[in-house]
Amino acid sequence: MTMASADCLPDYPLDSDLVKRLKSALDASDEERVSDLLCTEVEQVDAIIEMANDDWMKDPSAQLPPGVLLGLWTLEYKRELTTPLCIAAARGHTACVSHLLARGADPDASPGGRGALHEACLGGHTACAQLLLQHRADPDLLSAEGLAPLHLCRTAASLGCAQALLEHGASVQRAGGSGGDTPLHVAAQHGLDEHARLYLGRGAPVDARNGRGETALGAACGAARRPDEHARCLRLCALLLRRGAAVDPRDEDERSPLHQACGRARPDLASLLLRHGADAGALDYGGASPLARALQTAACAPRAAAPRTVQALLNYGSPTVWPDAFPKVLKTCASAPEVVEVLFNSYPQLHVSESWKEAIPEEVFEMHQPFYKSFFALAHTPRCLQHLCRCAIRKLFGKNCFYFIPLLPLPKSLQNYLLLEPEGVLH
């Protein structure tokens, strides 16, 4: 909260006895005591309660924030003002919310910038959200950050809140916050496939753009994920594509969803997008292709993810790296030899120089010695006939390698060989 909005005097300031006891009960997770304090000891049902205040100017002995010490202070400080109803909704205390509303609490009061409905949605407390809506809470109330309650439905547990909001007339198309995200963007960013299905069923435009020019598909592909979220995100992207999402929309940096998926080393997403016709050779404003994005992140990606991503791109017709730039690739991807192998095998013949060894740290060379010994053994040796045949077949099939090679009457091992499956050594 800025100084301009800090003139409101709380009914219960930070140093009051009630706030001290309330904070103690919250810290101890004593939910019964929290409810008791809110329902019986707060005299005014819409009282303003101060829960935090870092206005260091009021206390000259206070330790100064780092921004002040650096001369970067922006004349702002954080001050947390709230109401009993907001606290109860944030904690999911349905009985307490019901009690306060029965006493006439204003469901839309938001002295701290967020109303009780925002808090209920943020916590995924469906029963509280329903109570608030039944007492005429505004389903599209904007927070101080310009976010409606639907924008705060960010977890799987909040699906019931989202359903209740839509049943009470919330807008599924409202853009909010500094990023200009719609509820569908929020669902995409958090991998919430059921939320996305709900919003699309209520008429959310599948290709709406946010302030960065992203569609929901781009937002889904560009969000960081934990491994346990990958399957849910893949379902969400498949849903968006089935509902007609454009596969190659560009954001403000001219990056497509495929750029985003490759930058996150997500071979499953990359393959999904490529199957739907994504352009494997698209360039962003910086001149980077999806392959370049995959190579840039190879060293820090999960071991199998980066080579699978590169393999998918090459099997769907991605242009390979200019031969003279291969030493730079080696330097970037040295710790991911499977990536080097897949990319190297996409060339019929690439001259290997002994000087390239300088790009590989000694400890990396030792860790992956079998591969790098086979790699530099090709410095003075042509590639084998089998590899040359592989390249001829791949050239014939072009960007349809992924479709046609599995149809060939060949053993699975040979099909994998043609699809650049890494083997750990070069021949």
Side-chain angles (χ1 to χ4, degrees):
M1 180 174 296
T2 65
M3 283 185 140
S5 60
D7 296 334
C8 180
L9 294 177
D11 298 290
Y12 294 95
L14 190 62
D15 59 357
S16 65
D17 177 66
L18 181 132
V19 171
K20 290 177 180 177
R21 286 185 289 142
L22 181 58
K23 288 172 72 71
S24 176
L26 290 169
D27 290 342
S29 297
D30 187 345
E31 306 299 341
E32 184 177 347
R33 181 62 176 150
V34 171
S35 292
D36 183 60
L37 287 168
L38 295 176
C39 293
T40 64
E41 297 204 28
V42 177
E43 295 179 2
Q44 297 177 342
V45 71
D46 284 328
I48 298 176
I49 301 173
E50 183 179 39
M51 298 296 290
N53 189 338
D54 70 356
D55 183 8
W56 60 272
M57 293 182 71
K58 292 182 178 179
D59 182 5
S61 66
Q63 184 177 356
L64 300 187
V68 176
L69 298 176
L70 293 172
L72 300 177
W73 187 47
T74 60
L75 297 181
E76 294 186 2
Y77 67 88
K78 292 181 181 178
R79 186 183 188 190
E80 184 182 346
L81 300 178
T82 187
T83 66
L85 189 61
C86 286
I87 296 174
R91 308 289 290 192
H93 294 320
T94 309
C96 189
V97 169
S98 180
H99 174 82
L100 294 168
L101 289 170
R103 287 178 57 195
D106 180 1
D108 290 336
S110 53
R114 287 202 301 250
L117 193 52
H118 291 102
E119 300 291 358
C121 292
L122 195 56
H125 304 304
T126 301
C128 290
Q130 289 172 332
L131 269 173
L132 291 162
L133 289 164
Q134 288 163 10
H135 283 77
R136 300 185 181 279
D138 182 356
D140 281 328
L141 179 70
L142 295 182
S143 70
E145 297 174 328
L147 300 173
L150 267 183
H151 294 118
L152 298 183
C153 292
R154 300 171 178 171
T155 64
S158 69
L159 180 61
C161 296
Q163 291 171 327
L165 287 165
L166 292 174
E167 288 167 4
H168 284 80
S171 171
V172 78
Q173 300 187 30
R174 182 182 295 275
S178 60
D181 293 318
T182 67
L184 186 60
H185 283 97
V186 175
Q189 290 158 3
H190 293 86
L192 302 175
D193 55 320
E194 291 301 322
H195 287 65
R197 191 183 308 277
L198 174 66
Y199 300 153
L200 291 168
R202 294 300 184 101
V206 71
D207 281 332
R209 304 267 183 162
N210 62 15
R212 299 175 297 280
E214 290 178 322
T215 64
L217 183 63
C221 293
R225 308 267 178 222
R226 299 192 309 269
D228 60 315
E229 297 174 327
H230 287 180
R232 195 170 63 191
C233 177
L234 188 63
R235 290 197 301 271
L236 186 149
C237 292
L239 169 67
L240 293 171
L241 290 166
R242 287 197 304 273
R243 295 298 180 90
V247 73
D248 264 333
R250 303 298 191 89
D251 63 16
E252 62 185 4
D253 295 317
E254 281 295 301
R255 287 178 177 168
S256 67
L258 185 60
H259 278 97
Q260 303 284 18
C262 293
R264 295 288 180 186
R266 290 292 310 279
D268 52 353
L269 273 184
S271 295
L272 174 69
L273 295 167
L274 289 163
R275 286 198 302 272
H276 281 80
D279 182 1
L283 301 180
D284 64 17
Y285 269 142
S289 67
L291 178 61
R293 296 273 289 161
L295 295 174
Q296 288 164 3
T297 59
C300 56
R303 181 175 178 181
R308 295 293 179 198
T309 305
V310 172
Q311 189 179 1
L313 288 166
L314 293 170
N315 285 328
Y316 278 97
S318 169
T320 192
V321 176
W322 184 252
D324 289 346
F326 199 87
K328 293 182 179 179
V329 173
L330 194 60
K331 184 175 182 179
T332 302
C333 304
S335 60
E338 289 181 329
V339 171
V340 177
E341 179 184 354
V342 170
L343 185 62
F344 188 78
N345 280 335
S346 67
Y347 300 88
Q349 183 73 39
L350 186 62
H351 175 67
V352 177
S353 170
E354 291 283 353
S355 65
W356 291 0
K357 287 183 179 179
E358 298 174 5
I360 306 171
E362 185 176 346
E363 64 274 14
V364 172
F365 189 96
E366 291 299 322
M367 186 181 300
H368 305 288
Q369 193 173 113
F371 172 76
Y372 282 116
K373 280 191 171 181
S374 71
F375 180 82
F376 287 106
L378 296 174
H380 308 291
T381 307
R383 298 302 301 271
C384 66
L385 181 58
Q386 182 175 328
H387 169 73
L388 297 177
C389 290
R390 166 169 62 185
C391 291
I393 293 172
R394 290 181 58 81
K395 183 178 180 180
L396 177 66
F397 290 159
K399 64 180 181 180
N400 293 312
C401 284
F402 186 86
Y403 297 108
F404 291 160
I405 287 176
L407 300 178
L408 295 175
L410 296 172
K412 184 66 175 177
S413 59
L414 276 179
Q415 290 181 359
N416 289 341
Y417 179 81
L418 292 172
L419 290 171
L420 303 178
E421 188 74 17
E423 299 177 308
V425 292
L426 292 168
H427 303 286

